[in-house]
Amino acid sequence: MKEKTYIALSKMLGKSVVDADYDKAKLQGGTLGDVQLLEGIAETKRGDKLPFKMVFKTQEKWERAGDKDSWRREHDLYVSDLGKVLTESFGWPKCYYTEAESDKIRIWMEYVDGVSGRNLTIKMLEKAAVELGRFQGKIFTTPSLVKDLPNFSDTGFLKRDYEKWHHQQYSYERLIHENCPLDDLQKQAIKDGKIKIIEGKSYEYSFLRSEECKIPEHLKQMIFKIDDEMDCLFNEIAKLPVVLCHRDFWVENIIYNDNKISLIDWDTAGFGYLGEDLASLIADDYDFDSFEECCQKLIPAYYNGIAEFMDISNIDKKFIKEMILIKFGYRAVQNFMFSDDDEEREEALTALQKIFEMETI
């Protein structure tokens, strides 16, 4: 592995590296991958000693439902021509070396420093939204740019992700087991039949429909409507333009530096519907105190970026709200349900209330 690190360093530094002394530090990033920062001094063939920082990512094989090769997608995309589609203002970390085995990939890549997570300002998120729109609009109008690229997820990803709430995940026995993270009151309510487990549905689905669920009725009905109209809704969404989505487009995967956007963690990338990534940008773990401002600024920025390449005058923007609910409605219910912290439960309710109010923004 040391020799391959030297190859990556040689490409990074533009000089032949024969030795390196470095420390490793674990970085946040990747749901199941091991991501480390390598920082130290590289020695070149000529005896120069050069400081460096580089990211080393290892991803073990695993299978996401309906998307079995997602575990190796970043490798496949890095060795493809996708980098040619990306721009100086909207790109990804440079890849210095990558390899794939039957059950593992390894990537040595650029360490991108900058602002990320909840430290991103509205102005920075606006930049991310408009650049996303330009990226998707350019590829939509020039599909030949990605025609031969390998291993993208398909347009069914959004629906499959939502349908998990309509399938049973936990048995009665598991829900009442002492190791289950549900609080004792909920476990007792299940035993007493006050929370009826609806056959074939997730516990979140059943909990939301029980009298024990203290989520306000208007917020419950908002989610019920999505459930009841699911087939019709997805048929309507399927009429939207199909674009290339990052599919994990949230604040922790966005790095802002010098008016440029870098995106990390491309393992769920694929073809999806206009607005999917924007829904994530607005609602995935962002500060809901800024939700209204996000909607007012990010939605127009995104569509302005797209409009540089395609006519969107007939695009119904109401689907942003529906996509947010599809992606995060039950997740907020889950956060409310499993938390025993009053502040966290209130945050979940605030998230749902802000989504409910989107039509008035």
Side-chain angles (χ1 to χ4, degrees):
M1 205 58 59
K2 185 180 293 186
E3 291 75 14
K4 291 169 183 175
T5 299
Y6 295 169
I7 293 172
L9 284 170
S10 297
K11 184 173 180 182
M12 174 187 173
L13 299 171
K15 297 183 178 182
S16 179
V17 171
V18 295
D19 196 10
D21 181 25
Y22 54 87
D23 295 321
K24 298 179 182 179
K26 192 171 183 65
L27 293 175
Q28 180 181 356
T31 306
L32 296 172
D34 177 33
V35 186
Q36 297 182 340
L37 173 65
L38 310 183
E39 182 174 7
I41 302 294
E43 183 176 343
T44 70
K45 194 172 183 179
R46 294 179 57 181
D48 300 324
K49 294 190 176 181
L50 305 173
F52 71 88
K53 283 185 179 181
M54 183 167 60
V55 174
F56 175 53
K57 181 173 183 176
T58 304
Q59 177 71 66
E60 303 280 351
K61 182 176 181 178
W62 70 290
E63 189 164 327
R64 177 182 278 117
D67 191 16
K68 67 177 184 177
D69 288 327
S70 66
W71 68 275
R72 59 169 290 149
R73 181 162 294 130
E74 278 194 291
H75 162 81
D76 291 349
L77 294 181
Y78 265 127
V79 299
S80 75
D81 289 332
L82 180 62
K84 297 177 181 178
V85 182
L86 300 170
T87 65
E88 184 71 18
S89 56
F90 188 81
W92 58 8
K94 295 175 185 175
C95 176
Y96 301 121
Y97 190 77
T98 182
E99 64 178 8
E101 299 176 0
S102 61
D103 60 352
K104 185 183 297 183
I105 64 166
R106 300 181 186 91
I107 305 175
W108 289 258
M109 68 179 80
E110 176 187 13
Y111 172 71
V112 180
D113 199 8
V115 182
S116 189
R118 291 197 174 189
N119 291 321
L120 290 162
T121 65
I122 293 291
K123 187 174 181 180
M124 293 172 185
L125 293 173
E126 236 182 313
K127 173 66 174 176
V130 72
E131 290 296 342
L132 171 69
R134 288 170 178 156
F135 170 72
Q136 293 181 336
K138 179 173 69 173
I139 292 176
F140 180 82
T141 53
T142 318
S144 59
L145 292 173
V146 295
K147 180 173 65 72
D148 298 322
L149 296 187
N151 192 12
F152 280 127
S153 56
D154 61 40
T155 56
F157 187 97
L158 182 67
K159 188 173 184 180
R160 288 193 299 270
D161 195 43
Y162 178 71
E163 285 178 336
K164 68 186 179 185
W165 306 109
H166 289 254
H167 296 289
Q168 188 170 16
Q169 298 161 304
Y170 306 115
S171 65
Y172 172 87
E173 290 74 18
R174 185 175 177 185
L175 289 169
I176 63 172
H177 194 274
E178 61 181 11
N179 292 332
C180 178
L182 289 176
D183 61 49
D184 292 338
L185 290 176
Q186 280 193 65
K187 290 179 183 177
Q188 190 59 50
I190 295 171
K191 294 176 184 178
D192 294 342
K194 293 179 181 178
I195 301 178
K196 291 183 169 52
I197 308 303
I198 300 172
E199 186 176 354
K201 302 293 186 180
S202 68
Y203 176 64
E204 292 81 358
Y205 184 100
S206 300
F207 172 78
L208 191 63
R209 287 156 174 80
S210 72
E211 293 183 3
E212 297 297 304
C213 178
K214 304 307 180 187
I215 293 176
E217 188 62 29
H218 69 287
L219 300 180
K220 291 183 182 181
Q221 291 299 326
M222 175 176 66
I223 299 176
F224 293 164
K225 186 178 182 197
I226 297 290
D227 287 332
D228 295 342
E229 299 176 1
M230 180 172 61
D231 290 340
C232 180
L233 175 59
F234 277 104
N235 285 339
E236 289 300 309
I237 288 175
K239 297 176 184 177
L240 293 170
V242 173
V243 295
L244 182 57
C245 296
H246 179 271
R247 281 227 174 88
D248 202 8
F249 197 74
W250 69 303
V251 292
E252 292 296 338
N253 285 339
I254 296 170
I255 303 171
Y256 176 94
N257 189 316
D258 193 23
N259 205 34
K260 300 174 184 176
I261 300 296
S262 290
L263 282 179
I264 61 173
D265 289 346
W266 287 72
D267 63 304
T268 50
F271 292 101
Y273 299 107
L274 197 72
E276 278 190 52
D277 281 340
L278 182 64
S280 295
L281 180 61
I282 291 173
D284 195 344
D285 198 37
Y286 196 65
D287 182 1
F288 274 87
D289 289 339
S290 304
F291 187 80
E292 183 173 341
E293 188 177 7
C294 273
C295 291
Q296 289 174 336
K297 294 189 175 179
L298 304 192
I299 293 174
Y302 174 66
Y303 283 108
N304 287 341
I306 294 168
E308 293 179 18
F309 294 89
M310 55 190 286
D311 180 11
I312 58 165
S313 58
N314 294 321
I315 300 296
D316 192 339
K317 298 175 183 63
K318 75 171 186 177
F319 289 111
I320 298 298
K321 176 179 179 177
E322 271 72 17
M323 286 177 176
I324 287 175
L325 273 173
I326 288 167
K327 285 173 169 285
F328 306 111
Y330 271 107
R331 195 187 300 182
V333 172
Q334 190 179 61
N335 292 342
F336 179 88
M337 180 183 73
F338 280 104
S339 178
D340 56 4
D341 182 279
D342 289 341
E343 188 173 333
E344 289 179 358
R345 289 163 68 90
E346 191 60 36
E347 284 181 3
L349 292 182
T350 298
L352 289 172
Q353 180 63 32
K354 293 292 187 180
I355 297 170
F356 179 82
E357 294 170 359
M358 272 190 74
E359 291 175 3
T360 65
I361 296 175

